[in-house]
Amino acid sequence: MKFIHAADIHLDSPLTGLSAYADAPVEMLRTATRDAFTNLVTEAIEQQIDFMVIAGDLYDGTWKDHNTGIYFCSQMGRLKKVGIPVYVLFGNHDAESEMTKKLQLPDNVFIFDTRKPSTFRLEHLKVALHGRSFKDKETTENLVTGYPGPVSGLFNIGVLHTALEGNSAHANYAPCSLDELHAKGYHYWALGHVHDYQIWQGASTVVFPGNLQGRHIRETGPRGAVMVTADESGVQKVERLFVDVLRWHGLEVNVAECNALSEVVAVIGKALEAVVENNPSTIPVAIRVTITGKTPAHGDLFGLESQLRAEVLALAGAIGGERLWIEKVKVATSAQDDGEAVRARADALADLQDLLEAAETDQDFLKKLQEELLGLVNKAPLELQAAVPYFKDIRAGDLVGLVREVRPGLVSHLAKAE
């Protein structure tokens, strides 16, 4: 038999990081999670699977309207026509929505109970699926302890939405240990909640399939579900199914050897060409370019992120057409000179450097600077509030880090201009 295990679909969740730009692929961002799910259903039909398991976070919290549910029902209708049942466990995001609980689903969709663990038996396949949906978002107790023992003579699948041990990056929902899962005696654990693909073999095969579609720069690489092949002796094969429609990629470019902005752009261009060559897939890629290195070009780059991004956007268009989108260009370079060469000049630039160093401990100056910058911060567009990391520090009056970071860039820029 074959079944698909998916999780963390987050239907109609927006992709973030690109929408603030006029050149962004708006339509693709708006429909990406639906398009990925449509691809998954198509795969299920073409692969002639026996059933599908969705291990939580089918939805993305409170719905804005019923269209999300209508779309999901239409996709379930496609599976019903070919006789594929779907077993859905609600996770923390699903538990947030009242509409989730009221939606009438097609009769090929089965929901795990929220009050206690429930078991679905597929006698013709000799399969038993065990699971318990989240009733409340803040489900922090260990649910595994209440799951029933395996049904003798059947292939037992445990379905669970959990942070599992060691996943500190994710909220600690339904925590449990890997040892507890293996000890339960099931053949396969279909997990959800952690958005990265992970697999453990042992007494049980334990799998996080990852989320279906990367939604921001922290979810890089190909995304999708898994297809499991099993027989009476157990799990035979676990294959990844990539169904995403846009991928995120972090690209670090060292520009230590560059002397000017034009050289930096050229080096980035070569790095983008390498991304295209190493990713023959036609799936579009959203890239965050981070420029690093102790470089003579640091002064040229000071305060020119928007110009640099425009240059990189032009490169991306020329190199990858509609396949490449630049999510952000982040300048993380440092000055080649540690300040001693400027200080030895004993001129106005050296005095400025000394003043900026002294400003880090000048409380009156820092207070005045905060007052000046707050006017800018409060008028900034909403998308910039989260995008500019120093906005939070400015509001809190913690400007030492800002002054410290600006100093070498400003001094290098003025020295180069001179």
Side-chain angles (χ1 to χ4, degrees):
M1 67 163 185
K2 291 189 296 187
F3 66 91
I4 282 178
H5 164 206
D8 303 288
I9 295 160
H10 294 279
L11 278 178
D12 287 347
S13 172
L15 272 61
T16 57
L18 288 171
S19 58
Y21 301 119
D23 56 290
V26 176
E27 185 61 23
M28 184 181 295
L29 296 177
R30 188 177 65 82
T31 64
T33 52
R34 285 195 186 194
D35 295 341
F37 190 68
T38 298
N39 289 345
L40 180 71
V41 172
T42 299
E43 283 280 355
I45 295 169
E46 291 179 352
Q47 297 287 346
Q48 298 181 331
I49 66 166
D50 294 290
F51 58 92
M52 181 184 292
V53 177
I54 298 177
D57 287 357
L58 167 62
Y59 304 116
D60 192 53
T62 303
W63 302 357
K64 292 180 173 62
D65 56 48
H66 282 84
N67 287 326
T68 303
I70 293 169
Y71 161 77
F72 176 67
C73 287
S74 72
Q75 294 303 308
M76 294 301 96
R78 292 177 64 199
L79 295 177
K80 180 179 177 179
K81 287 178 182 177
V82 294
I84 298 176
V86 182
Y87 298 88
V88 179
L89 182 141
F90 288 152
N92 54 291
H93 281 276
D94 303 312
E96 293 179 39
S97 175
E98 285 300 316
M99 280 195 284
T100 298
K101 301 167 188 173
K102 296 175 182 177
L103 182 69
Q104 294 296 313
L105 297 169
D107 59 11
N108 65 319
V109 180
F110 303 90
I111 308 296
F112 288 99
D113 200 336
T114 60
R115 296 164 296 177
K116 60 181 181 180
S118 52
T119 299
F120 294 106
R121 295 173 67 130
L122 288 69
E123 298 293 352
H124 66 294
L125 294 173
K126 296 185 178 180
V127 170
L129 297 107
H130 315 279
R132 179 181 170 184
S133 291
F134 280 29
K135 181 180 180 181
D136 304 303
K137 176 184 176 182
E138 303 296 336
T139 299
T140 55
E141 70 266 27
N142 186 336
L143 299 180
V144 173
T145 56
Y147 276 43
V151 179
S152 179
L154 300 187
F155 183 88
N156 288 267
I157 301 172
V159 187
L160 178 67
H161 201 72
T162 176
L164 202 57
E165 60 186 5
N167 284 293
S168 57
H170 295 78
N172 196 31
Y173 295 133
C176 64
S177 70
L178 198 56
D179 287 342
E180 286 177 298
L181 298 183
H182 286 308
K184 204 71 189 181
Y186 296 168
H187 297 85
Y188 184 90
W189 277 99
L191 305 185
H193 185 55
V194 175
H195 286 193
D196 294 312
Y197 170 76
Q198 297 179 56
I199 183 170
W200 296 267
Q201 301 285 2
S204 305
T205 299
V206 182
V207 178
F208 280 114
N211 57 342
L212 218 58
Q213 169 62 56
R215 298 177 298 156
H216 46 69
I217 192 61
R218 294 187 301 280
E219 296 178 347
T220 58
R223 301 275 160 166
V226 295
M227 184 169 66
V228 182
T229 304
D231 60 19
E232 62 275 1
S233 63
V235 174
Q236 298 302 309
K237 187 165 51 175
V238 178
E239 304 170 82
R240 297 191 72 184
L241 292 176
F242 299 124
V243 298
D244 50 345
V245 296
L246 182 144
R247 290 176 185 166
W248 301 82
H249 181 80
L251 179 63
E252 185 173 308
V253 182
N254 189 299
V255 296
E257 302 301 318
C258 297
N259 291 293
L261 178 64
S262 59
E263 294 179 23
V264 170
V265 172
V267 171
I268 294 172
K270 290 179 181 178
L272 290 175
E273 288 173 353
V275 170
V276 172
E277 290 172 6
N278 295 327
N279 292 274
S281 168
T282 58
I283 294 176
V285 181
I287 299 178
R288 173 176 292 184
V289 180
T290 302
I291 305 165
T292 63
K294 187 175 282 190
T295 171
H298 184 67
D300 265 9
L301 298 173
F302 178 75
L304 296 179
E305 285 91 341
S306 59
Q307 178 184 335
L308 184 59
R309 184 178 183 277
E311 298 265 13
V312 175
L313 275 174
L315 280 174
I319 294 168
E322 295 186 354
R323 280 191 55 200
L324 291 185
W325 297 94
I326 303 303
E327 181 261 356
K328 181 184 288 185
V329 177
K330 185 176 179 182
V331 178
T333 56
S334 57
Q336 213 175 31
D337 173 31
D338 59 6
E340 290 305 315
V342 172
R343 191 169 288 109
R345 293 167 51 143
D347 59 5
L349 197 58
D351 292 342
L352 174 62
Q353 179 173 267
D354 291 340
L355 283 170
L356 288 172
E357 286 181 354
E360 295 176 20
T361 57
D362 187 333
Q363 295 304 314
D364 290 337
F365 169 79
L366 294 174
K367 189 174 187 312
K368 180 65 175 175
L369 180 61
Q370 181 195 23
E371 292 171 358
E372 294 286 346
L373 292 177
L374 276 175
L376 173 66
V377 170
N378 293 333
K379 292 177 183 177
L382 185 61
E383 61 266 20
L384 286 181
Q385 298 295 332
V388 181
Y390 278 114
F391 277 15
K392 184 178 179 181
D393 295 335
I394 291 169
R395 287 197 179 94
D398 184 10
L399 275 72
V400 174
L402 175 61
V403 174
R404 185 173 295 148
E405 183 171 320
V406 165
R407 173 169 48 81
L410 177 59
V411 171
S412 295
H413 178 72
L414 293 175
K416 190 132 190 173
E418 185 182 67

